[in-house]
Amino acid sequence: MLSRIMLLLLLLEASFCSQEDGVDNFVYNDGFTGLNLTINGAAEITGNGLLKLTPTTALNQIGHAFFPTPMHFKRSDDGKMVVPSFSTTFVIAFVPQKKGSSGNGMAFVISPSKELVGSKPSQFLGLFNTSTNGIASNNITAVEFDTIRNEELLDINDNHVGINVNGLTSISSFPAGYYSDDNGGFQNISLEDGNRLQVWIEYSGATKNLTVTMASIKMKKPHRPLLSTTVDLTTLAFDSMYVGFSAATGTILTSHYVLGWSFKVNDQAEPLDISRLPRLPHLPKNRSKLILSGVAATLVIVLLLVVAGVSVAVIRRLKFREILEDWERQIGAHRILYKDLFMATKGFKDTEVIGVGGFGKVYKGILPVSKIQVAVKKVADNFEEGTRQFLAEISSLGRIRDRNFVELLGYCRRKGELLLVYEFMPNCSLDRFLYDQPRTTLNWSQRFKITKQVASGLFFLHERWIQTVLHRDIKASNVLLDSEFNGKLGDFGLSRLYDHGSDPQTTRLVGTVGYMAPELNRTGKATKGTDVYAFGIFLLEVVGGRRPMDVRAEKLVLVEWVSECFRDGRILAVVDPKLGTRFQAAEREEIELVLKLGLLCSLDSEAERPTMGQVMRYLNRDCPLPEVPLDGLRTTVSTQTSRREGSQNLFMSSASLHSVSVLVSGR
């Protein structure tokens, strides 16, 4: 009697967890007996609480089981519908009627309906049929665990895991198994040997990245996922979707079981307690030596065929060979296949180039599966500095998430090439709207908004993230504009991270001429103050509409010209002529505020410059701006000779300024 009461309490616990937090969270840890799952076809709940999707008594069967209430798969975020992150984990087992046999497979399913009307068994896994397979209107996303190789569906082998969208031809697949945390080697797992296997499926709403990880029941979750690919669920999911399982058999009898299941939206799914899961039925023993000999011979033949197939595949894929190193397991960015980037950029054609920097070209492209428009920065891997900048970007920007940064969607490393994949910014960089004769002129309201957004991003790097990040290359060409002319800080190739309160000890002089603080020439040490100095120069160029140094201008150095006009009481003389001369009182106050703040940030003395926290308070009018000390302002180059020598020897040409970052030898 006591044991029955305990069982009832455990079942109530699972049911309560699935309802207490709403339809976005549930966990079935003690079997499925008495719970309100929606099941149809051959699916059933066994006496000890197993979810049995297919029987071992009839051929060509289908079984479905869904959580009865739809999940909220789309939500509004600032007026835009997005799919939030979610996570699920479950334990499955395939139990064949005869050891060594296999009878198709099963799938975890996200579907707009619980019925899957017209679905067929065998290779269709109870999801589709001949006429519906591959139709975009299905709006079904599935992760398949398949034990039959169907060549017409382009299956890679007869024991694989695949991510499917609206059909059974996987957009990404790999042999069933896991990557060892000890040595990084790949370990195969047989889906059909009757053992219990745990699966973790996770989706990031921010990066649209779907990962699948699996391992045997006694293992902890491996760090490296088995599958990882981009799937844009915003184009596939409705506001409400059902989650569940589908399985099918063909001409060989196999039962597909689910032992436990946990699901959660916007957080990690609750771990399953393996000790509480119901037990599987025993596998039938096969005592026939003849059959064992036949199986052994078959395995040898299969192994030879696999070796031959792998050899052919390796030869065919040498063009897209990639490098995987240990450090890649420690970063947060997502690795993207080189062949996907090759297709996205039309083979890296020159017609797709949208920018050229000191370390390579930037191409526009559309990823073949997700159809997401991206920008791909291709960096040559034949020199040390290119590799260093590549690693800096993926180790810093790959883990930082803020609306004021250009989002790093992924990366790819291949012999001789390094590639970074960013969100596409349709309006390119800010400098295109400031210098020379731009097609579109930004008004003051747009410029002021951009300065505040860049300030907010730099404040986050300096003071709000878990580590302090020195950007070390703040300038207009590294501020990218989206379709609504919002400014986002990009190009973290020179960035450095260090713990709050520690000394960064960055003594390798880097940056762009015209934005480099004067103390860098003396100490060679980058600090928060040197970032603030570059931000001050950035403020002046946003208002003035000209580069920090321009050999064509009457006043060569922008900060010296603004300092001179400030001393003479005519600071508004530096305002970009493209903005006009008539401003409202509020606009005039904002312009003077930004110019004076730019001078404060670019003072010769680092100790007198404000922090980015203070800069934010000044821009938001939370506190008054202090007086600009006249003795700390830059002095003007007075003679034509020194001006000519400076333009040739110290400051370089304006064309070089626009594209080259200076790297001076140091520690």
Side-chain angles (χ1 to χ4, degrees):
M1 180 65 181
L2 180 59
S3 62
R4 291 184 179 179
I5 292 175
M6 292 297 295
L7 177 60
L8 178 60
L9 289 175
L10 291 173
L11 293 175
L12 287 174
E13 177 188 348
S15 177
F16 181 74
C17 185
S18 68
Q19 296 172 7
E20 182 183 17
D21 297 329
V23 296
D24 293 336
N25 171 34
F26 62 84
V27 56
Y28 295 143
N29 210 32
D30 302 278
F32 300 87
T33 302
L35 301 179
N36 189 27
L37 283 183
T38 300
I39 59 177
N40 58 54
E44 63 173 329
I45 307 298
T46 67
N48 67 335
L50 290 168
L51 172 57
K52 185 178 182 181
L53 294 170
T54 54
T56 51
T57 57
L59 301 174
N60 296 310
Q61 296 294 303
I62 293 173
H64 299 144
F66 286 88
F67 186 75
T69 307
M71 299 288 124
H72 299 309
F73 258 82
K74 274 191 177 180
R75 298 177 180 178
S76 178
D77 184 7
D78 293 334
K80 180 181 179 182
M81 296 304 292
V82 298
V83 173
S85 300
F86 65 86
S87 169
T88 185
T89 182
F90 47 86
V91 175
I92 59 175
F94 294 11
V95 180
Q97 187 181 46
K98 294 182 180 180
K99 191 172 183 179
S101 64
S102 59
N104 294 102
M106 65 173 290
F108 169 78
V109 187
I110 302 172
S111 169
S113 170
K114 297 183 290 185
E115 303 302 326
L116 300 178
V117 177
S119 58
K120 295 295 183 182
S122 298
Q123 73 268 32
F124 293 105
L125 301 183
L127 295 174
F128 310 107
N129 57 42
T130 305
S131 60
T132 60
N133 183 40
I135 302 302
S137 59
N138 291 328
N139 292 97
I140 290 177
T141 303
V143 177
E144 69 173 25
F145 306 87
D146 201 356
T147 56
I148 295 290
R149 181 181 183 184
N150 295 283
E151 295 184 357
E152 69 275 17
L153 300 177
L154 305 181
D155 286 347
I156 57 174
N157 64 13
D158 58 357
N159 186 71
H160 64 271
V161 180
I163 296 175
N164 300 349
V165 175
N166 293 323
L168 288 166
T169 300
S170 301
I171 63 172
S172 179
S173 63
F174 207 80
Y178 63 91
Y179 290 95
S180 170
D181 288 343
D182 295 330
N183 56 24
F186 180 77
Q187 305 294 322
N188 285 295
I189 288 180
S190 175
L191 295 172
E192 60 190 19
D193 63 3
N195 291 328
R196 297 175 298 168
L197 306 173
Q198 186 163 4
V199 178
W200 297 264
I201 299 174
E202 296 164 313
Y203 180 78
S204 169
T207 64
K208 300 178 177 59
N209 187 43
L210 182 67
T211 63
V212 181
T213 310
M214 70 182 307
S216 63
I217 192 69
K218 297 180 181 179
M219 293 176 55
K220 65 179 182 179
K221 179 185 176 185
H223 290 108
R224 180 180 174 185
L226 177 67
L227 290 174
S228 179
T229 192
T230 301
V231 179
D232 188 1
L233 289 183
T234 58
T235 64
L236 295 169
F238 296 126
D239 293 355
S240 295
M241 300 286 282
Y242 292 91
V243 293
F245 301 93
S246 176
T249 60
T251 57
I252 299 177
L253 296 175
T254 297
S255 288
H256 303 90
Y257 291 92
V258 181
L259 292 77
W261 184 19
S262 176
F263 187 98
K264 193 163 189 178
V265 175
N266 272 330
D267 205 348
Q268 201 71 23
E270 183 177 335
L272 295 173
D273 186 347
I274 304 305
S275 64
R276 291 163 55 182
L277 298 178
R279 293 186 177 183
L280 283 170
H282 293 292
L283 270 173
K285 295 182 179 180
N286 189 343
R287 298 183 177 89
S288 172
K289 293 183 179 180
L290 182 61
I291 294 179
L292 288 176
S293 300
V295 170
T298 302
L299 289 176
V300 171
I301 295 173
V302 170
L303 180 60
L304 292 174
L305 291 175
V306 169
V307 171
V310 169
S311 300
V312 173
V314 168
I315 294 173
R316 292 179 61 186
R317 296 182 183 181
L318 279 177
K319 183 177 181 179
F320 301 112
R321 182 174 53 190
E322 301 186 23
I323 301 171
L324 183 63
E325 298 181 4
D326 291 340
W327 57 264
E328 296 184 72
R329 303 190 188 102
Q330 307 300 322
I331 62 174
H334 166 57
R335 183 171 180 134
I336 298 176
L337 292 177
Y338 179 80
K339 65 179 181 180
D340 288 344
L341 299 182
F342 189 86
M343 294 173 61
T345 58
K346 301 178 182 178
F348 296 102
K349 284 188 177 180
D350 289 341
T351 55
E352 305 304 302
V353 173
I354 56 176
V356 179
F359 294 96
K361 298 179 180 180
V362 181
Y363 300 81
K364 65 180 178 180
I366 299 178
L367 294 178
V369 176
S370 63
K371 304 303 179 184
I372 296 175
Q373 193 169 18
V374 294
V376 182
K377 182 163 72 172
K378 190 175 185 181
V379 183
D381 192 14
N382 55 2
F383 56 96
E384 180 184 358
E385 189 58 40
T387 303
R388 182 182 295 110
Q389 291 210 9
F390 173 79
L391 297 179
E393 289 220 33
I394 59 178
S395 64
S396 55
L397 186 57
R399 292 180 289 163
I400 299 174
R401 292 290 181 268
D402 186 85
R403 63 182 178 180
N404 296 311
F405 302 141
V406 179
E407 184 177 0
L408 179 65
L409 301 177
Y411 73 98
C412 176
R413 187 171 186 200
R414 184 173 176 263
K415 185 176 181 180
E417 292 178 309
L418 309 171
L419 301 106
L420 297 173
V421 184
Y422 301 92
E423 64 174 313
F424 182 73
M425 304 294 285
N427 281 316
C428 302
S429 56
L430 174 61
D431 60 323
R432 298 191 180 189
F433 295 89
L434 296 180
Y435 308 146
D436 303 323
Q437 296 179 339
R439 294 181 179 180
T440 301
T441 298
L442 298 178
N443 60 37
W444 172 246
S445 177
Q446 291 171 313
R447 299 191 193 200
F448 189 53
K449 178 183 70 172
I450 292 169
T451 61
K452 295 175 71 175
Q453 289 167 335
V454 175
S456 178
L458 195 55
F459 171 57
F460 180 90
L461 293 179
H462 282 192
E463 303 181 26
R464 298 189 63 187
W465 201 49
I466 55 175
Q467 289 180 286
T468 295
V469 180
L470 302 182
H471 188 280
R472 303 199 297 173
D473 204 16
I474 307 294
K475 56 184 178 181
S477 60
N478 282 342
V479 175
L480 286 300
L481 304 179
D482 65 14
S483 58
E484 298 178 354
F485 290 96
N486 291 303
K488 296 189 178 187
L489 192 56
D491 201 341
F492 281 61
L494 301 178
S495 63
R496 283 286 178 89
L497 296 87
Y498 64 95
D499 294 330
H500 289 284
S502 65
D503 188 345
Q505 293 297 319
T506 303
T507 57
R508 192 170 188 277
L509 184 57
V510 297
T512 300
V513 176
Y515 301 85
M516 296 168 65
E519 66 267 17
L520 279 173
N521 291 319
R522 299 190 303 270
T523 67
K525 182 177 178 180
T527 63
K528 293 181 184 179
T530 58
D531 265 2
V532 171
Y533 182 92
F535 176 75
I537 302 300
F538 166 76
L539 292 180
L540 300 182
E541 68 175 326
V542 169
V543 179
R546 55 159 285 186
R547 295 184 175 90
M549 283 176 286
D550 191 345
V551 295
R552 298 169 300 178
E554 180 181 353
K555 301 294 184 179
L556 172 68
V557 184
L558 175 61
V559 64
E560 294 177 355
W561 179 40
V562 178
S563 298
E564 177 184 330
C565 291
F566 175 72
R567 285 193 181 92
D568 296 342
R570 52 185 184 91
I571 193 170
L572 292 181
V574 304
V575 175
D576 187 353
K578 295 187 289 295
L579 288 173
T581 57
R582 302 179 63 180
F583 302 103
Q584 297 181 0
E587 292 177 327
R588 186 181 297 272
E589 291 178 3
E590 289 173 350
I591 293 173
E592 290 185 0
L593 169 68
V594 172
L595 286 172
K596 292 177 181 178
L597 182 56
L599 291 175
L600 278 175
C601 291
S602 56
L603 290 173
D604 280 352
S605 171
E606 180 180 357
E608 292 186 89
R609 298 171 201 153
T611 66
M612 288 311 301
Q614 291 172 322
V615 168
M616 288 300 300
R617 290 192 288 274
Y618 297 148
L619 288 174
N620 292 328
R621 306 294 184 90
D622 294 332
C623 62
L625 189 72
E627 293 295 327
V628 180
L630 295 178
D631 57 351
L633 297 177
R634 296 287 298 274
T635 57
T636 304
V637 178
S638 57
T639 67
Q640 192 67 23
T641 301
S642 61
R643 180 177 184 271
R644 182 172 59 253
E645 292 176 350
S647 64
Q648 292 176 350
N649 299 328
L650 175 61
F651 301 127
M652 308 170 66
S653 71
S654 60
S656 299
L657 266 176
H658 187 56
S659 60
V660 179
S661 294
V662 173
L663 302 168
V664 181
S665 297
R667 184 171 64 98

